[in-house]
Amino acid sequence: MKYSQATDYALHTMLHLVMAPPDKPVGVQVLADKLGVSRTYLSKMMTQLVKAGLIQSVSGVNGGYRLKQRGEDISFLDIIQAIEGTNSIFECSLAHGSGCVVKQVVAQAEQLMEQYLKGKTIADVAQMAHTAQTIPAE
């Protein structure tokens, strides 16, 4: 299974936003430069995060984006679903209905993955990143 490039950028963008001071919005150009993507492409992805209620847009000269919720309340699953949607990763194409044992196995695996991603918040990952940056090299 593979998530889109937009999901990669969304997760990294959210990591930057959770690590930024909460009272100072981060400009889309700053984020685009950090991620090495075009401002236009990133703006489209940011719109999806705004629609999902994860971030908010701040207008004005010093405008940009900031978290709408606390980082502790935003799971990886929230971010992924904002970009990818909530459809199952597998759809059985054979005409034997909901009793497909193959679909049942994949659905169980998907549920386990979703539980894990729901349990990991963007704040957890920010803490991991912060810890990794402050551990002295040996």
Side-chain angles (χ1 to χ4, degrees):
M1 117 189 58
K2 182 175 178 168
Y3 291 120
S4 69
Q5 191 70 46
T7 295
D8 179 19
Y9 294 141
L11 290 166
H12 283 90
T13 294
M14 293 297 286
L15 183 60
H16 285 294
L17 292 178
V18 78
M19 295 174 86
D23 58 332
K24 186 178 178 194
V26 181
V28 70
Q29 189 61 55
V30 170
L31 292 167
D33 290 345
K34 285 185 181 215
L35 297 173
V37 299
S38 78
R39 178 186 171 124
T40 304
Y41 180 78
L42 190 61
S43 292
K44 290 177 185 176
M45 191 238 7
M46 300 296 278
T47 299
Q48 292 176 281
L49 295 173
V50 169
K51 285 180 182 176
L54 301 177
I55 63 173
Q56 61 186 18
S57 175
V58 179
S59 300
V61 176
N62 295 318
Y65 293 92
R66 65 177 170 219
L67 296 181
K68 189 171 183 178
Q69 304 175 31
R70 295 177 332 130
E72 295 84 2
D73 297 329
I74 302 172
S75 73
F76 260 53
L77 184 62
D78 294 330
I79 300 164
I80 292 168
Q81 287 181 339
I83 303 300
E84 302 287 344
T86 58
N87 291 336
S88 177
I89 58 175
F90 178 81
E91 290 299 324
C92 179
S93 60
L94 301 178
H96 49 255
S98 61
C100 177
V101 293
V102 172
K103 181 167 176 68
Q104 290 172 11
V105 169
V106 175
Q108 288 174 344
E110 187 174 357
Q111 287 175 341
L112 291 171
M113 182 181 65
E114 286 182 0
Q115 286 175 334
Y116 179 81
L117 293 171
K118 191 173 187 175
K120 289 292 181 192
T121 69
I122 200 66
D124 293 337
V125 178
Q127 183 60 44
M128 290 168 52
H130 178 43
T131 301
Q133 292 173 357
T134 59
I135 295 176
E138 296 184 83

